[in-house]
């Protein structure tokens, strides 16, 4: 079952991993982000691979009345709590990254594991290959993306004029929404 979310509101590709080492508060952060973004009318597209589904994010967004679509690999079996969520299965990771890029107007990364960062950058690269400017906002809670923030300041800034319009870091979910919604709206 497929649902095209690109024609309505703001559609965000959101990357959040619920497995492996990472922020111990990530389930709570996912729930807060899902609720906050959905209440502001954002539609969420989530990547689910290798059995990793951001269930707290999806559940909270749906409870708040939001629309969610999942782009997944064949390993994903939705739990009963997510029945009715639209899910597309794509066999290869490049296909999944391309689909995430096609559906999304902006990308959001929440503190999680390396899988979240990998999915984010794979999708960003796919959007770039499609000649689409894709703004990115990362929730830097507990300095989860501090290394990337340093990289952006030290490496991107000299070689990529206007990088601050492409990649931004937020310290709260409210700030994250403010940044990504502004970037997406300015890019329309």
């Amino acid at each position: 079952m497929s649902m095209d979310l690109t024609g309505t509101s703001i559609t965000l590709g959101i990357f959040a991993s619920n497995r492996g080492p990472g922020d111990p508060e990530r389930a709570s952060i996912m729930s807060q982000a899902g609720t906050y973004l959905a209440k502001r009318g954002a539609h969420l597209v989530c990547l689910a691979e290798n059995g990793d589904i951001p269930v707290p994010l999806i559940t909270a967004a749906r409870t708040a009345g939001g629309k969610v679509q999942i782009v997944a690999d064949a390993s994903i079996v939705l739990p009963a709590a997510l029945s009715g969520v639209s899910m597309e299965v794509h066999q290869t990771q490049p296909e999944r990254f391309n689909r995430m890029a096609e559906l999304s107007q902006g990308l959001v990364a929440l503190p999680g594991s390396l899988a979240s960062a990998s999915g984010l950058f794979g999708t960003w690269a796919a959007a770039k290959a499609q000649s689409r400017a894709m703004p990115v906002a990362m929730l830097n809670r507990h300095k989860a993306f501090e290394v990337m923030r340093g990289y952006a300041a030290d490496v991107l800034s000299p070689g990529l004029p206007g990088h601050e319009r492409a990649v931004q870091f937020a310290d709260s979910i409210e700030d994250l929404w403010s940044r990504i919604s502004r970037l997406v709206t300015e890019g329309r």
Side-chain angles (χ1 to χ4, degrees), residues 9 15 21 25-26 29 35-36 38 45 57 76 80 95 98 102 111 115 133 139 148-149 172 188:
S9 189
F15 300 87
E25 295 178 29
R26 65 181 159 203
I29 292 168
T35 299
Y36 194 88
V45 181
L57 173 79
I76 300 301
E95 290 172 331
N98 281 326
E102 289 170 2
L139 180 60
M148 289 183 218
R149 179 182 256 170
S172 69
R188 285 186 177 166

Side-chain angles (χ1 to χ4, degrees), residues 13-182:
I14 189 159
F15 300 87
S17 177
N18 205 23
R19 290 197 179 174
D23 192 322
E25 295 178 29
R26 65 181 159 203
S28 174
I29 292 168
M30 280 191 242
S31 294
Q32 292 170 26
T35 299
Y36 194 88
L37 296 172
K39 284 186 176 182
R40 273 128 194 99
H43 300 283
L44 306 181
V45 181
C46 300
L47 182 65
E49 298 179 305
N50 303 315
D52 189 9
I53 308 167
V55 174
L57 173 79
I58 296 167
T59 302
R62 291 180 68 213
T63 300
K67 294 182 182 176
V68 179
Q69 179 171 347
I70 300 170
V71 175
D73 68 13
S75 76
I76 300 301
V77 176
L78 294 180
L82 299 183
S83 66
V85 175
S86 177
M87 182 171 80
E88 293 182 18
V89 175
H90 296 274
Q91 295 306 311
T92 69
Q93 195 171 57
E95 290 172 331
R96 290 187 293 278
F97 291 161
N98 281 326
R99 187 61 177 149
M100 290 288 296
E102 289 170 2
L103 292 170
S104 303
Q105 296 171 294
L107 304 177
V108 169
L110 300 179
S113 69
L114 188 54
S116 304
S118 175
L120 169 70
F121 287 109
T123 301
W124 196 34
K128 199 157 182 65
Q130 297 170 8
S131 298
R132 294 187 56 221
M134 186 72 66
V136 175
M138 298 179 209
L139 180 60
N140 198 29
R141 180 103 167 244
H142 302 302
K143 300 185 181 197
F145 295 107
E146 201 63 23
V147 170
M148 289 183 218
R149 179 182 256 170
Y151 175 83
D154 295 343
V155 178
L156 287 181
S157 61
L160 184 61
H163 80 282
E164 68 282 352
R165 289 187 305 270
V167 179
Q168 293 200 359
F169 300 87
D171 295 318
S172 69
I173 293 168
E174 295 82 4
D175 186 33
L176 179 81
W177 169 250
S178 174
R179 289 173 185 274
I180 195 67
S181 63
R182 185 183 74 252

